[in-house]
Structure formats: structure tokens, C-alpha cells
Amino acid sequence: MNSEDRYRLNAASSVPVSITTATNNKNSSSKNRRIKSRVCNLPNITLPTTALSCINELGLLGLVEFRDLNPGMSSSQRRFVNDVRKCEEIERIIKYLEGEILRFNIRIPSGSHTEETRCSRDTLELKSEVKALEQELKEISFNHTTLKRNLTELLESSALLGVIHEVFQECDMQPSCTDLQSDGPHITQRLNSISTITAPKLCFIAGVIKHDRFPAFEKVLWRLFHENFLLRHAELQQHPEDGTVQKDAFIICMQGEQVQGKIRKICEGFNVSLYPCPNTIHAQEEMKCNLRTRIKELQMILRQCEEFSVAVLNKAAKRVTDWSIQVHKMKSIYHTLNLCNIDITHRLTIAEIWCPVLDLGHVQRALNKAASPETPPTFNRTNRFTAGFQQIVDTYGVNSYQEINPAPYTVVTFPFLFAVMFGDCGHGLVMSLIAAWIIRNEQKLKQQKNEITSMLVGGRYIILLMGLFSIYTGLIYNDCFSKSFNMLGSSWSIRAMFWPRGPWRNETLHNSDHLQLDPSVPGVYSGTPYMFGIDPVWNIASNKLSFLNSYKMKMALIIGVCHMTFGLTLSIVNYIHFRNLQNVLLRFVPELIFLLSLFGYLVFLIVFKWCMGVQCDSSILLIFINMMFFNHKADEKFIYNGQNAVQMFLVVQALLMVPIMLLIKPLLTYRSQQMITDKVSLSDVFVCEAIHTIEHCLGCVSNTASYLRLWALSLAHSELSEVLWRMLMRVALRSGSSLTLTLIFCCLVLLSASVLIVMEGLSAFLHALRLHW
């Protein structure tokens, strides 16, 4: 079956199609079936909005024949007659393109024979595309014809100038004529008639005439003017630009303006191309040089015009076969749709088909295969618990169809990041109780038409999880309303520092403002860290702030790098699902290597120093900065052997990932897209990939720094809570008055609720939202 028969739909006859198939059964019924046509059925089918795809699948199947449901309607009254005419117009343009391609001896490939069907919108795009190509070729052809005509005129002027130059040399005359704008090659000359004219001033007419018209032209001049003129002509040398028409150049010398006017009218009758001539021989030589330059320029422009035409036609030749097949298919489909009826809603197409009974299953599968080309919308199923977190994700952007939904992971990461900044088990307990009360009175609160109430009810489970996670991080920080708990026993002992085991005495306590615990004294440090969270002894330490500052800053960096790595890892799930191996190798892997080579190594340094107890003069931040700038001093102390070589390797490895994402990925993307359509620009692909690469590289730096807000807001919350305790409760407890204690306690509760829980909670919520976005 050739390509045309493959896409042809039998729809003209209402007689069932005779279909024969070979079977291997040996009974009598099977033998009869071999010599008889199959039993056919006349089912009625209803096609949805994807009628084009459905009819295309049925046409490829080749087992059905459509009945004409509009037998009394002429072809011009059919519903899809305009679409058929559009296809015919596209076919006309394609035939014109094929003719131009063959005229330039360009080979037309066989085509891909794709089975995809274009919808009406794509047909309009194809029509506009081929129409624009046709217009471009016509403009190129018009410009080429104009340039060729101008070149011919220059060549004729050049040849004529040679004849005029020889006449002037022989007669030594100085005529009064206008300027000539051409120059030319050597011309052979022949003298036809000579008249002895000795007048002081003569007139000249110079031009070019076709060779076969010259004898008649010369005979007319002789009969009218006899010997009152001088005619000299020469046959022009043929040039590739002139074509195949032979022409003669001539110059006529006469006396009197009346004779000149009559000769001009005769020249117009013989369609002669007249040209002016310069006054002197010197002017002729000067114009000769100008003509050579202009002829060379025009010849170069003509070559460029032809090369551009060949390039455009080569580009069109690669797709003209596919265009022809697509238009042929679309035209056949629209002819078939003209046989169908449209329901009153104009949404369904009703058709009747003849089909073999045994092949009804194949027809049904073909109709089911013709799915809608539109991408379905994204639907993420939620419940009362996950609806709030899904709304947080959708606020930034909805994931594409069948992409992984990050909302389930946000259920854990969002309240955790909030709790890292809010970490106080007392405030977290208050927030959890508030959320539990909102959940219990959910139905009553929903009845209140209040924006704030609706917001609280919608985020009730978010508030609950934020409170529970804050209790956990508060226990880690050992912080409850700015106070610590000694539930498991501190690993440090102050008693061991007193005499006789330690250097402290009673006078030491009275005479010193600050005392330092010495872990080298036996019994001062147990040798094992506090079992859960921060040791409560840090609550009374004078260097508590510097310790928590270093601890929370490093913790924020570790959490930030882990969170970014986890988010980057989720992308590989989408790439694997959509079978996009190119993005896995050229986007995910380089991005992951870039992130882990720099900031993953920074996390490694932090954890390595914590685990090994390594002490060095330089801070981790300085080590990382020196690593990025390859600034290593000779006397610098490293925390492990081979640190310098490892750091240089990691930096170079991270830098090598940038050209992979910036150059290799867009080149392969452009090559793959160019195989599908020619409407792709290499610069656009490079710009898109460059933006993505720069965004990732700069985002790794800026986002890592952005996660330091976990450290800043955590310190701010704990310090503000401690300031309220010192300024209010410490004064109230020292006053000794129960009334003062009650009033100050009420003030503390009010400020804690309004400032520490509401304002600080809202601030931590917004920053956690920013880190997820």
C-alpha cells in the first residue's frame, strides 16, 4: 500500500466493502468464508471533539467505510467545505514549491510518513507557513528578475559604447548628446550604409535591437530617408546573463531634429532599446570604467540572490513531502467529515460506518486510541489535613500534569523550618493548644463569616504541626519561656571545681565576676554529652550567646544544604517518569555535582570538626573562602591530610559543570528540536539554558545564605524572650509584692502572646514560606 492509499478514506459509496481474510480452520464454514465477503454491520458512532483524530485512526485501520448522511446536500453546502478549500490552497502552494525546487535541481527527500494528524489550528499554521514561504520565494524571484534585467541593460550599454567609440575615432566628431551609463566588451562592427554628410552639427541615436528584426528596421530607414543618415551596427557577444536572444547594437547619425524624431518613432515601433551616448571620447573612457564596476557588483548580487534562493528551497525540500502527506490526509478527513452530521450542540459528530463484525473490537480500540491532544489539567487529591499545605504549594505554582507533587513533603519540611526559627517548647505548647481548640470548634468557627476566622480554620492543621514541631525544637534548644530544664542531669559539675579537688574556694566566688569551668579537672566534665539537646549548664554561662550563635549558624547551613539537595533530587523523579534521559545526565547530575562539590563540602567540614573535635586556627568560613579563591598559605594548618588537593579538585569539578549545562545541553536540545520543527532558534535555546544555569549557580549561593535566616530568627526569638523575662519577671520576683507580681505576670502573658507568639510566629511563617518558594 503506497502513501496515498494509506491515508485515503473510502466514503463515496454506501455499498459494504468486501473484506477477505485468510483463516486456517478446516471446517466447511471456514471454507465458505474464504470465497465470500465478510459479514458487515452498520454501527452508529458518536465522535467527540477529537473527531479528526478518531477518523485518522479509522483511516489508518482501513476496515471501515463511512455512509453519506447528507445525500441531498451539494458539495458547496457541506459543513467543512471551507476547510477543504484551505487544504486545496495549501496543495497549490506545495505544487508551486515543488516546481521551484525541481527547477533548481534540488533533490526532494522521501519524508518521514508520520501518522500524526493536524488539528484545524495546526492546518492554519501550516497554511501561514507555506504562504509566507511562497511569498518569500516570489519576492526573491522578482528581485532576481529585476537585477538580471538591469545587468542586461548594462551589458547592452557596454557593447553599444564600443560601437560609438569606434565611430567617433573614425569620424573624429564631437556630438551633443546625453550621458551613457554603461560599458561593455569588444564588439565586431559592420558598415551598412555610408552617407557623405559634412554638416557642422549632427544628431545621434544609439540602441539595441533583436537580430531578426534588424533587416526590416534597416529597410524602413532606407526607404524613408534614403542616403540622409549613417547607420553602423555590430552583433552583440552573448553572455550567460543575456539568455539566448541574439541582439545587434547600432548607432544612427543624421542631421535635423525632425529626422531624429521620426527615427525615434520607428525605433519605438520595432521595440528598440535606446541609450544615450557621452559627448567626448574621454567621457566614454571614464564611463567605461564605471560600467565595469557596476557590472561586477550586479553579478555578485545575483550570485548571492541565487545562493539564498537555493538555501530557502533546500530548507523547504526537507519538509515538502511531509507537508504534502499531511495536507492529503487532512483533505481526506474533511471530505469524510462532510459525510457526517453534527448534533444541535455542535460538540459531537454523528457518523454511520460499514464495518466487518469480527473487526468491531479493532475499531473500538482505534477510537479509544484517538485521545485528546490537549494536556489534561493537574489534579492533586487532598483532605482536610493536607489541603492547607497544598494551598501553600499552589500559591507559588501548580505542578504540571503527572509531575511529582511537593505538597506531601511540605507537610514535614514547612513546620520543621518554622520550628527551627520559633524553637520554644512553651510557646509551641500554647500554639498547639490554640490549634487543638480551633480543630475542636471547627464547625462553629466556619459559620462565622470572618476573613481572619476563615484563615485560621483553613490553616488549623498547619498551626498544630508548627506548634508540635516547635515543642520538639524547644526541647532540642532546651528552651521553655527562655528558661532551661535539667531533666536528664547536666554533663558538667560545678562542685568538682571547689577545694580540695579543684582550685575554687569561697573567696573565689566573692572576688570573681566570671568563673570558667576547667574540663581537665577530674569530675568537672563527665566525658559524655547531654543526652538530648543542649546542656542546661549553658543557660547560666556568660558565653551562651557566642555558643548558640555558632551552633545555630552551622545548623542552619546544614539544614539549608540538605533541603536544597532534597528539592533537587525530586526533579529526577520527573525526568525518569517522562523518560528524559538527557535532562538526567546534562541537568540533574551537573547541578547535583555543583551543589555538593561546594556547599556539600562545607557541610562536611562542619560535621567533620564536630565529630573529630579538630581544632585549627582558621574558621570554616575562612577555609571555604580560601578554597574558592585558591588562596592557600604555605604555613596554613589543615584539618586532615590531603585537604588542599581535595579542595582544588572539588572547585575545578564544580566549575566544569557550568559549561556542560551552558553549552552541551543547549546544543543537544537544539538538535533534537530541529528534527521536529524548523521553528526553533539556537539563540533562544542558548538564552533559555543560560538563564537556567545562571539561576542555579547563583541560587546555590544566595539560597545557602538565605537559609541563615533560620539562625537569625532563632536567636532573635530566644533573646527577645529572655529580655522580657529579665525586664519583667525578674523585677516582679525581687519586689516581694504579690500584687506587683500579678500585674507584671499579666503584662508578661500579654506581651508573650502578642509579640512572641503572634508577631514572631507570623514572621517565622513568612520566612519558612520564602524558603520553600
Side-chain angles (χ1 to χ4, degrees):
M1 182 180 294
N2 56 29
S3 60
E4 294 184 357
D5 294 336
R6 184 180 183 183
Y7 303 116
R8 182 177 294 117
L9 296 174
N10 297 323
S13 175
S14 60
V15 181
V17 180
S18 178
I19 304 174
T20 58
T21 57
T23 59
N24 295 325
N25 297 332
K26 298 181 180 180
N27 51 28
S28 59
S29 60
S30 63
K31 293 180 180 179
N32 292 332
R33 290 175 185 173
R34 293 177 183 175
I35 61 176
K36 293 182 179 180
S37 62
R38 292 292 186 180
V39 178
C40 294
N41 196 1
L42 185 64
N44 186 293
I45 60 175
T46 302
L47 304 177
T49 56
T50 57
L52 292 176
S53 301
C54 294
I55 294 179
N56 175 65
E57 292 296 331
L58 294 177
L60 294 175
L61 190 63
L63 296 175
V64 301
E65 182 175 301
F66 284 78
R67 287 191 61 195
D68 190 358
L69 301 182
N70 307 297
M73 188 179 296
S74 63
S75 59
S76 61
Q77 296 175 340
R78 305 278 177 158
R79 178 178 178 83
F80 298 94
V81 62
N82 292 330
D83 298 282
V84 174
R85 290 172 180 172
K86 291 178 183 178
C87 294
E88 291 175 351
E89 176 66 15
I90 297 175
E91 286 182 338
R92 182 195 64 78
I93 298 175
I94 291 176
K95 289 181 180 178
Y96 168 76
L97 296 178
E98 290 178 346
E100 291 295 315
I101 292 171
L102 295 177
R103 188 167 66 88
F104 280 85
N105 297 324
I106 299 175
R107 178 180 173 274
I108 299 178
S110 59
S112 58
H113 298 286
T114 177
E115 297 182 357
E116 297 181 0
T117 308
R118 293 179 178 267
C119 61
S120 300
R121 182 179 62 256
D122 296 330
T123 305
L124 293 177
E125 293 177 358
L126 175 59
K127 181 180 179 181
S128 62
E129 184 179 358
V130 297
K131 191 71 176 178
L133 187 58
E134 179 194 25
Q135 186 67 25
E136 184 180 8
L137 287 176
K138 286 184 177 180
E139 290 180 0
I140 294 173
S141 178
F142 176 77
N143 295 333
H144 184 271
T145 304
T146 304
L147 292 173
K148 192 173 182 180
R149 183 173 60 251
N150 294 338
L151 180 61
T152 302
E153 291 177 357
L154 291 177
L155 292 173
E156 291 176 354
S157 301
S158 176
L160 184 60
L161 188 62
V163 177
I164 297 172
H165 182 71
E166 292 186 1
V167 171
F168 282 8
Q169 284 182 343
E170 292 178 4
C171 300
D172 194 18
M173 296 180 180
Q174 301 294 330
S176 177
C177 300
T178 58
D179 293 339
L180 182 65
Q181 301 177 356
S182 57
D183 187 12
H186 176 72
I187 302 174
T188 60
Q189 304 173 6
R190 183 174 64 89
L191 183 61
N192 289 330
S193 61
I194 301 175
S195 178
T196 58
I197 301 175
T198 59
K201 184 176 181 181
L202 300 176
C203 298
F204 293 88
I205 294 178
V208 176
I209 189 174
K210 291 184 179 180
H211 181 72
D212 55 351
R213 294 183 180 181
F214 183 79
F217 175 70
E218 183 181 11
K219 186 180 295 184
V220 170
L221 291 177
W222 180 259
R223 288 180 178 178
L224 289 179
F225 304 105
H226 300 287
E227 296 181 355
N228 295 325
F229 70 95
L230 176 67
L231 174 65
R232 179 165 297 185
H233 79 100
E235 184 177 350
L236 293 182
Q237 183 179 355
Q238 293 296 319
H239 294 272
E241 295 83 359
D242 293 336
T244 58
V245 180
Q246 294 183 354
K247 295 182 180 181
D248 288 355
F250 67 88
I251 179 172
I252 302 174
C253 178
M254 81 292 296
Q255 186 178 12
E257 295 181 356
Q258 292 182 354
V259 177
Q260 183 183 14
K262 292 179 181 180
I263 293 177
R264 286 186 178 276
K265 290 182 179 180
I266 296 173
C267 292
E268 292 177 1
F270 281 89
N271 197 17
V272 176
S273 300
L274 299 178
Y275 297 95
C277 60
N279 295 333
T280 62
I281 296 178
H282 176 73
Q284 294 174 11
E285 294 293 337
E286 184 177 354
M287 297 308 298
K288 220 171 187 182
C289 298
N290 294 334
L291 278 171
R292 291 195 188 98
T293 304
R294 293 183 59 188
I295 290 174
K296 290 181 180 179
E297 292 177 355
L298 272 179
Q299 289 174 344
M300 181 185 65
I301 294 174
L302 274 172
R303 285 195 301 269
Q304 293 177 354
C305 184
E306 292 175 354
E307 292 174 358
F308 182 72
S309 300
V310 172
V312 173
L313 291 174
N314 276 324
K315 189 176 180 180
K318 298 178 181 178
R319 305 181 59 191
V320 69
T321 304
D322 291 335
W323 288 342
S324 180
I325 294 174
Q326 289 287 349
V327 173
H328 183 75
K329 287 179 58 178
M330 287 304 304
K331 187 177 178 182
S332 301
I333 291 173
Y334 283 126
H335 274 303
T336 305
L337 286 174
N338 282 330
L339 306 177
C340 306
N341 282 335
I342 308 297
D343 70 333
I344 57 175
T345 62
H346 296 279
R347 294 183 179 179
L348 299 176
T349 303
I350 302 172
E352 290 184 0
I353 60 173
W354 285 107
C355 174
V357 176
L358 297 178
D359 294 319
L360 286 176
H362 297 289
V363 173
Q364 186 63 42
R365 284 191 293 270
L367 293 175
N368 295 333
K369 182 180 177 182
S372 175
E374 298 181 0
T375 303
T378 300
F379 173 72
N380 297 314
R381 190 177 300 277
T382 59
N383 50 34
R384 292 187 301 174
F385 182 76
T386 60
F389 296 97
Q390 185 67 55
Q391 189 173 2
I392 289 176
V393 175
D394 293 343
T395 304
Y396 179 77
V398 180
N399 55 302
S400 300
Y401 179 66
Q402 289 192 340
E403 280 189 348
I404 190 170
N405 182 22
Y409 309 101
T410 309
V411 175
V412 178
T413 59
F414 185 83
F416 176 74
L417 293 182
F418 171 86
V420 170
M421 295 179 281
F422 194 75
D424 190 300
C425 57
H427 297 155
L429 180 61
V430 174
M431 186 176 291
S432 301
L433 293 176
I434 294 174
W437 179 81
I438 295 174
I439 294 173
R440 183 174 182 180
N441 300 277
E442 175 183 344
Q443 299 301 328
K444 295 181 181 179
L445 294 174
K446 282 184 177 180
Q447 297 176 0
Q448 300 181 11
K449 303 301 181 181
N450 191 344
E451 185 177 356
I452 298 178
T453 305
S454 301
M455 188 182 303
L456 291 175
V457 173
R460 58 196 181 279
Y461 292 105
I462 299 177
I463 300 174
L464 177 63
L465 286 183
M466 291 191 303
L468 295 177
F469 275 83
S470 297
I471 295 174
Y472 170 76
T473 54
L475 294 176
I476 293 292
Y477 296 156
N478 203 349
D479 192 359
C480 180
F481 299 113
S482 76
K483 308 309 292 182
S484 298
F485 295 101
N486 191 5
M487 297 181 295
L488 303 176
S490 175
S491 299
W492 295 83
S493 175
I494 300 177
R495 189 181 300 275
M497 291 295 296
F498 286 90
W499 182 265
R501 300 174 61 184
W504 292 358
R505 298 179 183 272
N506 291 333
E507 294 81 4
T508 307
L509 294 178
H510 295 289
N511 298 330
S512 301
D513 294 333
H514 299 280
L515 295 174
Q516 184 175 356
L517 297 178
D518 188 3
S520 62
V521 176
V524 174
Y525 180 63
S526 62
T528 56
Y530 192 67
M531 187 175 297
F532 185 78
I534 296 177
D535 198 300
V537 74
W538 287 104
N539 190 50
I540 61 174
S542 59
N543 59 342
K544 170 187 175 182
L545 183 60
S546 61
F547 167 75
L548 292 179
N549 184 37
S550 175
Y551 169 77
K552 292 185 177 181
M553 181 182 67
K554 295 175 181 178
M555 179 195 64
L557 290 175
I558 295 174
I559 293 175
V561 174
C562 293
H563 193 211
M564 289 190 297
T565 305
F566 174 73
L568 185 61
T569 306
L570 291 180
S571 64
I572 195 176
V573 180
N574 295 327
Y575 298 150
I576 294 175
H577 174 74
F578 294 107
R579 298 179 180 179
N580 196 339
L581 182 62
Q582 180 176 318
N583 281 347
V584 173
L585 298 178
L586 300 178
R587 175 170 292 179
F588 170 74
V589 174
E591 288 178 352
L592 186 64
I593 293 176
F594 182 87
L595 177 62
L596 296 181
S597 298
L598 300 180
F599 302 100
Y601 180 72
L602 179 62
V603 173
F604 165 76
L605 292 178
I606 295 173
V607 177
F608 186 81
K609 288 190 67 176
W610 279 351
C611 296
M612 303 302 295
V614 178
Q615 300 293 332
C616 65
D617 298 336
S618 301
S619 66
I620 293 178
L621 183 59
L622 293 178
I623 293 176
F624 185 75
I625 293 175
N626 292 333
M627 164 187 166
M628 295 299 300
F629 291 98
F630 298 99
N631 186 17
H632 302 289
K633 299 179 181 179
D635 57 346
E636 183 178 355
K637 296 181 180 179
F638 298 106
I639 61 177
Y640 63 90
N641 296 329
Q643 177 182 345
N644 188 18
V646 171
Q647 291 179 168
M648 293 181 64
F649 171 76
L650 292 176
V651 174
V652 173
Q653 179 180 246
L655 295 178
L656 288 177
M657 296 299 107
V658 177
I660 293 178
M661 296 184 289
L662 193 61
L663 300 177
I664 300 178
K665 176 66 168 57
L667 287 175
L668 295 179
T669 302
Y670 173 75
R671 183 178 179 182
S672 60
Q673 292 181 359
Q674 196 178 28
M675 296 175 63
I676 301 175
T677 176
D678 292 338
K679 296 181 179 180
V680 59
S681 175
L682 181 61
S683 60
D684 294 341
V685 177
F686 265 103
V687 169
C688 181
E689 293 297 333
I691 292 174
H692 184 85
T693 303
I694 295 173
E695 181 184 5
H696 174 74
C697 297
L698 296 183
C700 289
V701 180
S702 61
N703 292 336
T704 303
S706 183
Y707 277 96
L708 293 177
R709 69 184 70 204
L710 300 174
W711 153 56
L713 268 74
S714 177
L715 281 179
H717 184 82
S718 61
E719 290 301 314
L720 185 58
S721 178
E722 187 173 353
V723 167
L724 289 178
W725 178 269
R726 290 179 180 178
M727 295 181 63
L728 296 177
M729 287 304 298
R730 182 176 294 182
V731 175
L733 293 173
R734 289 179 179 179
S735 65
S737 173
S738 59
L739 180 61
T740 304
L741 179 61
T742 303
L743 293 176
I744 293 179
F745 181 76
C746 292
C747 292
L748 178 64
V749 172
L750 181 62
L751 290 175
S752 297
S754 61
V755 177
L756 295 179
I757 296 180
V758 178
M759 294 181 61
E760 285 287 325
L762 182 59
S763 176
F765 178 88
L766 294 176
H767 284 285
L769 189 64
R770 161 65 183 86
L771 291 178
H772 278 76
W773 284 357

